Amino acid sequence: MKYIFKRLSVLLLFFAALLVFTPFNAQAAEEEEGFQAGPFIIEHVTDSYGWHICGDGDKSVTIPLPIILIDDGHLVCFSSGKLHHGHAAYNGYAMGWGDQKGSIVKLDSDYTGHLTEGENYAVDHVCKFNISITKNVCALFISLILIATIFLTVAKRYKQHPDEAPSGLQGLVEPVVVFLQEEVINPSLGDRAPKYTPYLLTLFFFILLNNMLGIIPIFPGGANLTGNIVVTGILALITFFITNISAKKEYWVDIFNTPGVPWWLKFPLPIMPFVELIGIFTKPFVLMVRLFANITAGHIIVLGFISLIFIFGQMSPYIGYGVSVVSLLFYVFMGVLELLVAFIQAFVFTLLSAIYIGTATEEHEESTELA
Amino acid sequence: MELIKPSFGLIFWMLIGFGILFFILAKFAWPVITNGIASRNKKIQDQLDEAARVHAELENMNQKYEEMLADAKAERDAIVADARKVSEKLYEEAKLKANNEAQAIIDDAKQAIYYEKMKAITDVKNEIANFSIDIAQKVLKEELSDKERQEKLIEEWVDNCKLN
C-alpha cells in the first residue's frame, strides 16, 4: 500500500511539474496576440485532427493523425500534418472554418499550399463521409486496446490458474467485477442477469477507463472521449435498443395502458401514454447528457484554473507565478474530484442501464420505476 | 456549438470499435472471468462446508473419546478398589495365620522348656544323689568307728538335703 502511495505521489509530482513548466514555453507565444481562455478551453475539450502534445502555434509538437475521406466515391487518405492546423490546403482539402469548423472541406480547386487567414476561399462542398482518425478516435483505439488487453490477460489468468487466489491485475479487476455483479447487475436484472452481464460490464469498464484516461493531461490520455456527445450518445443508444428490443409485454402495457391511472387521462386524449412514450426516449437522452456534461464540465473547470495562470501572467509574470500555486492546488483538488466522478459516472451509467433493462424485461405485475 | 455537434467519423469508429470490444470481451473475457469467480466461490463454499462437517465430526469423536476416558477411569477405580479389598483380606488372613503359627511355636517352646527343665531337675537330683553317696563314702571312711554317730549323721544329711 505504502509503495502504491509512493508511486502515486511521484506521478502527481510529475504532472504538477509538467503544469508548472508549460507556462514557460507557452507564455512567449501568448504575449503576441493575447490569451483567449474561451477558445483555449473549447479547443481542449473538443475533437481535433492532430494530437497536440505541447507548445503553441508553429512551435507546437503535435502528433499528426491520418485524415480518411470518401469524396466523390474516391478514398482519400493523407496526414493531417499537411494541413498545418488549418493554415494550409492539400489537394484542395482544408479544415473548415466558421460554420464548417471541425469538418474537412473541399475547395473548388485542387490547391496545395498555404492559406492566408482572412482571405476568402471558395468552398465546393463539405466532405460528408469523413472517417478520419481524429484525436478522439485515436484515444478510442488506445482505450479499446487497453481494455481488451487488461481483460484478456485477466481471463487468461482465470483459465490457467482456476480456483486460485487472485493476484496482480486479476486482484484489481475482480473486486470491481464482483461488486458490479452483486450490487448492480443481479439486483436489477434477477435471473435475466447472465444475458446482459457482458454488455453492462463492457459498458462500465469502457466508461471508467476512458474517464480516467481523460484526466491524464498528456498523451496517451487527455482526449475528452467520454465528454464527447457522440460517444455517450452511442452508449445510451445501445442501452435504448437493448431495453426496447428485449422488452416484455408488461413494459408496453405499462406505457400504453398504465395501470393505476384514471381512465380520462388515457381515453379521449392519450396524455399518459404520450408522457410514457416520451419517457422511453428521455431516459437514454438523460444518460447521454449526464455523462457528457459531468466529464466535460470537470475538464472545463480544470482548464479554467489553468487559464487563470495565463490571464494573470499577461498582466505581470509575477502575478502569474503567484496564481499558478493557487491554480495548481485547485487543479489537484479537481483532479481528485474528477477521479471520483470517473467512478461515479461509470457506475451511474451502468446502474441506470441495468435498471432500464431490468424493468423492461420484468415479467410480473409490479414494476419498480427508478428514474 | 462545436461541443455538442456530432461528428460522423466518431460515430462510425465508435460503433465499430465498441462493437468489436463488446464482441471480444463477451466471447473471450467475461464468460471466463464470471465463471472463474463463480467456480472459485463454489469451491470456497464447498471447502467451508467440508471444514464445518469435519469440525462437527471431530467434536463428535472428541465427545466419544471423553466418554470412553470416563468409562475407563471408572473401571480403573473399580479395579483398584477390588484389588485393595482383596489385598486387605489377604493381609488379614496372613496376619492371622502368622499369629497362630507364632502362638504354636511359643507353645512348643514352652513345652520344650518344661521338658528340658524337668530333665535338668532330674539330672540335678541324680547328681545330688551321687554327691551324697560320695560324701557318704568320705564320711563313712572317717567315721567308721562310731556306728551310732554314723547313722545319726546320715539321717541329718539326708534331711538337710531336701530339694526344692
Side-chain angles (χ1 to χ4, degrees), chain B residues 8 54 57 123 139:
Chain B
F8 174 78
V54 168
E57 209 165 86
D123 284 354
V139 170

Side-chain angles (χ1 to χ4, degrees), chain A residues 47 136-137 140 203 206-207 210-211 224-238 288 291-292 349, chain B residues 6-7 10-11 13-15 18:
Chain A
D47 211 352
N136 276 341
V137 175
L140 174 72
L203 185 67
F206 179 81
I207 296 171
N210 280 306
N211 284 350
N224 187 22
L225 193 63
T226 39
N228 190 297
I229 199 102
V230 168
V231 173
T232 62
I234 285 172
L235 295 176
L237 209 66
I238 296 170
M288 168 179 84
L291 181 58
F292 158 75
F349 202 110
Chain B
S7 71
L10 196 54
I11 296 174
W13 289 116
M14 178 65 193
L15 281 172
F18 191 78

Side-chain angles (χ1 to χ4, degrees), chain A residues 13-27 54 309-310 321 324 328:
Chain A
L13 267 175
F14 173 70
F15 287 140
L18 211 82
L19 280 160
V20 170
F21 290 123
T22 30
F24 289 102
N25 10 345
Q27 218 157 20
C54 67
I309 303 171
F310 295 95
Y321 291 134
S324 73
L328 212 65

